[in-house]
């Protein structure tokens, strides 16, 4: 089985714990952190927007 895409990893992370913040999702999918220890959650904005547009996830008042 090949590597999962970022969108697949996001869906898996959301299924296991729905209501995560972008920072928590960044940790769950293994994105690197800044030198100050902050997750690079900005890298998730575009993939999350694609999942929302595709109807695969729902936005609940700013929470995915």
């Amino acid at each position: 089985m090949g590597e999962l895409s970022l969108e697949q990893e996001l869906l898996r992370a959301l299924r296991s714990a729905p209501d995560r913040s972008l920072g928590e999702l960044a940790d769950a999918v293994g994105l690197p952190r800044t030198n100050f220890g902050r997750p690079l959650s900005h890298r998730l904005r575009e993939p999350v927007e694609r999942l929302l547009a595709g109807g695969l996830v729902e936005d609940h008042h700013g929470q995915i």
Side-chain angles (χ1 to χ4, degrees):
M1 184 181 263
E3 288 187 32
L4 295 177
S5 71
L6 181 56
E7 286 88 359
Q8 290 171 319
E9 290 287 349
L10 281 169
L11 287 171
R12 181 178 281 180
L14 285 166
R15 184 172 47 184
S16 68
D19 302 327
R20 291 186 185 189
S21 68
L22 281 182
E24 291 168 329
L25 285 172
D27 281 339
V29 298
L31 288 180
R33 291 179 164 268
T34 67
N35 291 342
F36 302 106
R38 294 184 194 113
L40 293 173
S41 57
H42 68 277
R43 292 185 180 179
L44 293 181
R45 293 190 198 287
E46 188 175 314
V48 166
E49 290 296 323
R50 285 194 299 266
L51 292 174
L52 286 166
L56 297 172
V57 296
E58 295 178 356
D59 183 359
H60 297 279
H61 308 288
Q63 292 288 328
I64 301 169

